[in-house]
Amino acid sequence: YLTAHPLFDLLSHLSDQVFSALCRMVVREVFARSEIIFGTGSYATAMIFTARGRFEFVIEGSGEEAKVRVFRSTRRTRLTGMFSSMEDTPADFSETRWFGEPSLFTAEPVQHKGTLMTVSPGDIFVLTRAALQECLAVSPSCMHAVSTYAKSFVLSLGKSKAKHWDPDFHNQCSEMALGMNVQYLAWNKDDTLHLFNL
């Protein structure tokens, strides 16, 4: 489930030791049908990956614009298309998704801007900042890859002026951060960028 996120997919290619440690450090949590995993305004203390089951993510408006907005998921290619459209009616998803990513990289508390709940019994995997740091401590190469990504990701994310969580902007921040990462670019070569292909 971790490799659904391209940063962790990169780590799986950079170091078997680090990725194996990450897999051991994630904590599996099981939820019954209709349980709330986190609510709007609660603090993200870890990155959460949805695993088995069906989940619903709801963003609530405030003030006069109060209404429930839900993002419908689709099959994703890398980061683009994590959510395809915003609907005014509930929608659910069953593929691996992640939430709370900024909590891995910032010392400041990060609040959830929506509610994640189960539609059916489901499992999630939880990765804390401390667990990530412990795993990265054994590999300077992986530490560099993650710290480079984190700086770019958090900097890009800080430019958002949105009142509500915007998954498209979040994905753009991830893509930009990966696009500036030397290890990612070396691993994920784009042959169309070579001069002889022009």
Side-chain angles (χ1 to χ4, degrees):
Y1 299 103
L2 291 178
T3 57
H5 190 293
L7 175 64
F8 295 100
D9 193 28
L10 172 64
L11 292 177
S12 75
H13 289 85
L14 290 178
S15 171
D16 290 337
Q17 180 184 7
V18 169
F19 191 70
S20 294
L22 279 170
C23 291
R24 286 190 304 272
M25 295 296 274
V26 294
V27 175
R28 178 179 174 231
E29 294 182 15
V30 179
F31 291 86
R33 182 178 184 267
S34 300
E35 273 195 84
I36 293 176
I37 297 168
F38 60 75
T40 303
S42 63
Y43 287 102
T45 57
M47 186 171 181
I48 294 171
F49 295 84
T50 60
R52 286 178 286 240
R54 292 172 47 133
F55 303 85
E56 183 175 85
F57 185 69
V58 180
I59 297 177
E60 300 171 19
S62 60
E64 294 176 5
E65 300 173 358
K67 66 179 178 178
V68 175
R69 296 184 296 170
V70 180
F71 294 95
R72 181 167 305 208
S73 71
T74 60
R75 247 185 143 59
R76 139 186 99 64
T77 333
R78 290 276 186 229
L79 289 171
T80 47
M82 182 172 168
F83 297 98
S84 65
S85 63
M86 190 166 61
E87 302 287 339
D88 290 334
T89 56
D92 55 65
F93 54 86
S94 55
E95 296 158 353
T96 300
R97 302 288 178 236
W98 53 88
F99 301 89
E101 181 178 1
S103 69
L104 295 180
F105 311 126
T106 62
E108 298 292 319
V110 178
Q111 286 185 303
H112 288 293
K113 295 187 178 181
T115 299
L116 180 66
M117 65 184 299
T118 55
V119 175
S120 69
D123 302 9
I124 63 167
F125 289 99
V126 178
L127 178 64
T128 65
R129 182 179 184 188
L132 177 62
Q133 289 173 341
E134 183 179 327
C135 294
L136 294 174
V138 299
S139 172
S141 173
C142 289
M143 178 69 85
H144 182 263
V146 172
S147 65
T148 302
Y149 170 86
K151 286 175 190 172
S152 299
F153 175 74
V154 171
L155 203 70
S156 298
L157 206 56
K159 295 177 183 175
S160 174
K161 293 181 172 65
K163 293 179 183 177
H164 303 290
W165 184 65
D166 180 355
D168 293 329
F169 181 74
H170 187 92
N171 291 343
Q172 288 171 3
C173 293
S174 294
E175 288 172 349
M176 287 182 356
L178 285 169
M180 297 176 168
N181 191 305
V182 175
Q183 286 106 324
Y184 181 79
L185 294 173
W187 168 67
N188 193 25
K189 292 179 184 170
D190 185 354
D191 291 332
T192 61
L193 299 178
H194 292 161
L195 289 176
F196 61 84
N197 288 331
L198 297 176

